Amino acid sequence: MNIGKYFGTDGIRGKVGEFPITPDFFLKFGFILGNLLFRHSRKKVIVGIDTRKSSFALEAALNSGLSTSGVSVISLGRISTPAVGYLTKLLKLELGIIISASHNLFQDNGIKLFFKNGVKISSKLKKIENSLGKPFSFKNLSNFSSIKRAYSIHKKYITFCKSLFPRCFSLKNFKIVLDCANGSTYKIAPKIFRDFGARLRVIFASPNGYNINKNCGSVNTNNLKNIVLLEKADFGLALDGDGDRVIMIDHLGNKVDGDKILYILAKFYLFRHFKKEGVVVTKMSNRGLLIGLKKLGIPFAISKVGDVNVIKKLKDKNWRFGAESSGHVIMLDKLPFCDGIVTSLQIIKIMIDYRMNLFELCSEIRFFPFVMINIKFERQNYLLKYEKIRILIFKYQNILSKFGRIYLRESGTETCFRIIVEDEDKNVVKYISDQIKEKVKHIGI
């Protein structure tokens, strides 16, 4: 759901120090939010941050803007995005805010909003978008509200996560490697898994403000894979910097991404209990997933990329499960947003219920070999650059099999084009992706 100039597929995001990720914009943003959203309702909002160094300064500016507009701010400190969504719903607030750039590196930052009941989608986004483009001034400086710090409210989220599973649910038979991406789950996630009795090896849980998502987490699972194999663990879990994604690694080192997690949910949950329901995939989903769903007789709908788009499609269909291959998994019977911790626990519960390991849960599905290419670009002459790449990749279409494809899109979270090359033949995938990587260097991106 691309709102406009400021809001992308997952809130506002960009490079720190460059508009709009600046303290002055965050001050204005807070002031506008307060005046737009709290005219006729309780004036209270929660604000959380991830582990980036820049989050502290941006939070201070945002909180000042909110306070100046008369909104009372409860600062949650370092906390995961799903926790903010849950607490917004629990406390029955009009708005919850997380300052984070999710899976991006520390140079980036951004804002995600949760509205009433913890949902991201709201008609109010258009009003916010329009107001941000107008000049503003502090007309009344006598309307300041308080900014308070909540030190232990994250415990309510931990209790909630544990309450989603039966009292007899136990991880004592599992040896798990948990990668926290040096992000905002670095305390919460180990606590939850240890409370369930897991034998846990925690990695990348020492944030220093600069190492969030760096060579770790859901975007880079190589280190996790190596440690799973070295430790002979049952599986590994890789969260991202703000905790709404998860990628799993089975005991043989195979990656289980969002597409495979969705297949597990479809096969071992919907197929057995809710046969009339379907699932929502995205245009980035592997063709192997679609073939696997057809074999199970489970209907599916394809949405645009972005978890908010998946959620909207699910609500339109009155279904419960959807996912992006990146590790965003939606289970509307549990939460109205993505949660890497809850997703992991749900898949582990299926492993326990069916007495199967992670490899066995995925054994009947065959995904097509694919490569994702990320091409960074400058905003100047964006459309011309997009067209040049489109013409370039069109030349390789006739090499592909009938099931192969080359899919091009602009990222909604980073300044880059994403190209997926996918085919039955891994050699074809490698050849085309290598050619694209080499030739794109010479077309002036």
Side-chain angles (χ1 to χ4, degrees):
M1 185 180 68
N2 200 326
I3 300 297
K5 179 179 178 182
Y6 301 99
F7 287 93
T9 55
D10 198 16
I12 299 174
R13 194 173 303 182
K15 195 166 293 296
V16 175
E18 296 180 7
F19 184 84
I21 312 301
T22 60
D24 55 338
F25 177 84
F26 273 55
L27 178 71
K28 176 182 180 180
F29 187 72
F31 183 76
I32 286 172
L33 281 179
N35 280 287
L36 275 179
L37 303 182
F38 295 94
R39 290 176 181 174
H40 308 292
S41 59
R42 285 197 319 169
K43 297 187 174 185
K44 186 182 291 185
V45 62
I46 54 174
V47 178
I49 62 173
D50 69 12
T51 58
R52 290 161 218 274
K53 202 75 170 178
S54 60
S55 292
F56 295 103
L58 295 174
E59 182 197 23
L62 177 71
N63 289 351
S64 295
L66 289 164
S67 172
T68 304
S69 71
V71 175
S72 296
V73 179
I74 302 173
S75 175
L76 307 180
R78 290 175 166 180
I79 195 167
S80 69
T81 290
V84 172
Y86 167 69
L87 292 169
T88 302
K89 182 178 181 180
L90 176 71
L91 301 175
K92 298 180 180 179
L93 301 178
E94 292 290 328
L95 184 67
I97 305 172
I98 180 75
I99 297 175
S100 175
S102 190
H103 62 280
N104 294 25
L105 295 176
F106 86 94
Q107 293 94 335
D108 294 339
N109 218 324
I111 300 175
K112 298 182 185 183
L113 304 180
F114 289 96
F115 296 93
K116 208 167 189 177
N117 295 321
V119 300
K120 287 185 178 180
I121 303 170
S122 173
S123 58
K124 296 173 182 176
L125 286 176
K126 281 289 186 183
K127 289 183 179 180
I128 298 169
E129 177 81 23
N130 293 335
S131 297
L132 286 170
K134 300 175 182 176
F136 87 112
S137 60
F138 298 111
K139 295 179 180 178
N140 182 1
L141 294 181
S142 62
N143 197 32
F144 284 96
S145 289
S146 63
I147 301 174
K148 297 180 180 179
R149 180 69 186 270
Y151 288 96
S152 59
I153 198 168
H154 65 278
K155 293 179 181 178
K156 294 182 182 294
Y157 167 73
I158 292 173
T159 300
F160 166 73
C161 289
K162 291 160 64 175
S163 74
L164 293 173
F165 300 90
R167 288 189 177 183
C168 61
F169 183 68
S170 172
L171 304 181
K172 66 179 182 181
N173 293 324
F174 292 104
K175 185 176 184 180
I176 304 170
V177 183
L178 175 62
D179 178 351
C180 296
N182 292 315
S184 54
T185 63
Y186 75 108
K187 288 183 178 179
I188 294 172
K191 166 70 173 167
I192 292 171
F193 283 94
R194 286 189 173 120
D195 283 355
F196 278 124
R199 289 174 289 139
L200 204 61
R201 167 77 187 276
V202 181
I203 60 175
F204 300 110
S206 301
N208 61 15
Y210 303 101
N211 59 2
I212 186 170
N213 299 312
K214 186 175 181 180
N215 299 320
C216 60
S218 63
V219 292
N220 190 331
T221 57
N222 292 331
N223 286 309
L224 175 61
K225 171 185 173 180
N226 292 337
I227 295 173
V228 166
L229 295 175
L230 182 66
E231 296 274 339
K232 297 182 179 178
D234 292 291
F235 53 88
L237 305 171
L239 303 169
D240 68 335
D242 72 332
D244 60 359
R245 296 184 182 195
V246 65
I247 299 292
M248 305 180 77
I249 301 292
D250 70 24
H251 72 290
L252 298 176
N254 300 302
K255 182 187 288 189
V256 178
D257 65 5
D259 285 345
K260 289 184 178 178
I261 290 172
L262 183 60
Y263 175 80
I264 293 170
L265 291 170
K267 181 177 179 180
F268 294 95
Y269 203 100
L270 293 186
F271 184 70
R272 285 166 168 77
H273 305 290
F274 302 95
K275 290 190 175 182
K276 292 184 179 180
E277 279 197 35
V279 298
V280 174
V281 302
T282 75
K283 292 180 179 180
M284 299 279 280
S285 295
N286 194 286
R287 293 288 178 90
L289 172 62
L290 310 188
I291 293 171
L293 292 171
K294 285 179 181 178
K295 286 181 178 178
L296 292 174
I298 293 177
F300 59 85
I302 301 174
S303 82
K304 295 179 181 178
V305 175
D307 62 327
V308 291
N309 296 313
V310 175
I311 292 168
K312 184 178 185 303
K313 184 77 74 173
L314 283 172
K315 290 182 176 179
D316 290 344
K317 294 282 187 179
N318 198 26
W319 295 345
R320 67 192 70 198
F321 294 141
E324 297 185 284
S325 54
S326 60
H328 281 137
V329 179
I330 298 100
M331 301 181 291
L332 289 184
D333 57 338
K334 296 191 181 299
L335 288 166
F337 44 79
C338 306
D339 188 316
I341 294 172
V342 174
T343 297
S344 305
L345 293 170
Q346 180 61 55
I347 297 302
I348 297 168
K349 184 177 185 299
I350 292 173
M351 292 168 63
I352 295 170
D353 290 346
Y354 289 90
R355 298 182 180 181
M356 299 171 72
N357 61 40
L358 188 56
F359 173 80
E360 290 168 335
L361 292 179
C362 303
S363 61
E364 291 184 6
I365 190 168
R366 294 288 178 268
F367 275 36
F368 289 4
F370 73 96
V371 169
M372 181 187 290
I373 304 165
N374 293 319
I375 303 171
K376 297 282 186 180
F377 67 90
E378 298 294 332
R379 280 286 171 192
Q380 188 178 8
N381 297 323
Y382 151 73
L383 291 176
L384 177 61
K385 293 168 184 177
Y386 184 91
E387 184 63 17
K388 284 182 178 181
I389 294 177
R390 192 189 66 79
I391 292 170
L392 170 65
I393 64 179
F394 181 76
K395 297 176 182 178
Y396 297 98
Q397 296 287 347
N398 62 345
I399 302 175
L400 299 166
S401 72
K402 66 176 182 178
F403 292 112
R405 64 168 180 155
I406 306 175
Y407 177 63
L408 166 67
R409 62 176 285 268
E410 181 191 354
S411 169
T413 58
E414 299 176 74
T415 311
C416 71
F417 299 117
R418 302 201 196 280
I419 302 173
I420 285 183
V421 182
E422 187 177 283
D423 195 80
E424 296 171 288
D425 188 334
K426 66 180 180 181
N427 294 318
V428 170
V429 171
K430 185 178 187 309
Y431 170 75
I432 293 177
S433 58
D434 287 347
Q435 287 287 306
I436 292 173
K437 287 175 187 175
E438 182 59 33
K439 291 189 177 182
V440 78
K441 297 176 184 176
H442 306 292
I443 62 173
I445 301 301

